[in-house]
C-alpha cells in the first residue's frame, strides 16, 4: 500500500488561518459598517441573526474557495508557480 503523505503536501493550518484572518476581518468590518446604521435600535441577537448567515454564506461559497485557489501554493508550502 502506498503512503499518501509522500505524494500529497500537508496543508498548513496556521498559514490558512492567517490568510483567512487577513481577508475576513476587513470583510466583517465592512458588513458591520453597512448593517449598523440599518439595524440601529435592534437587540444584539437580532443583529447577529442577520449578520451570521451573510458571513457564513460569503465565506463558504466565496472567500474560502478564492483563498484556496489563489493561495494554495502558500498554504501547501510549495513554491509559487507563475503562469
Amino acid at each position: 500500500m502506498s503512503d499518501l503523505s509522500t505524494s500529497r503536501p500537508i496543508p498548513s493550518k496556521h498559514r490558512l488561518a492567517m490568510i483567512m484572518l487577513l481577508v475576513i476581518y476587513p470583510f466583517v468590518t465592512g458588513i458591520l459598517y453597512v448593517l449598523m446604521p440599518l439595524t440601529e435600535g435592534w437587540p444584539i441577537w437580532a443583529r447577529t441573526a442577520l449578520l451570521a448567515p451573510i458571513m457564513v454564506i460569503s465565506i463558504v461559497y466565496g472567500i474560502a474557495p478564492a483563498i484556496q485557489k489563489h493561495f494554495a501554493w502558500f498554504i501547501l508550502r510549495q513554491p509559487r508557480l507563475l503562469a
Side-chain angles (χ1 to χ4, degrees):
M1 187 186 261
S2 68
D3 186 17
L4 291 177
S5 64
T6 59
S7 62
R8 287 186 180 169
I10 299 171
S12 169
K13 291 182 181 180
H14 297 296
R15 290 180 177 202
L16 177 60
M18 179 181 64
I19 293 174
M20 293 288 276
L21 179 63
L22 290 173
V23 173
I24 291 173
Y25 177 79
F27 175 70
V28 172
T29 303
I31 291 174
L32 287 172
Y33 272 114
V34 171
L35 289 181
M36 293 299 275
L38 300 174
T39 60
E40 192 172 331
W42 288 24
I44 193 73
W45 66 265
R47 286 181 174 183
T48 306
L50 179 62
L51 177 66
I54 294 170
M55 288 175 32
V56 170
I57 290 169
S58 299
I59 292 167
V60 169
Y61 292 105
I63 294 172
I67 287 173
Q68 291 172 352
K69 178 181 177 185
H70 296 291
F71 294 99
W73 62 272
F74 180 72
I75 297 166
L76 295 173
R77 302 179 203 133
Q78 296 180 333
R80 185 175 185 182
L81 300 175
L82 300 175

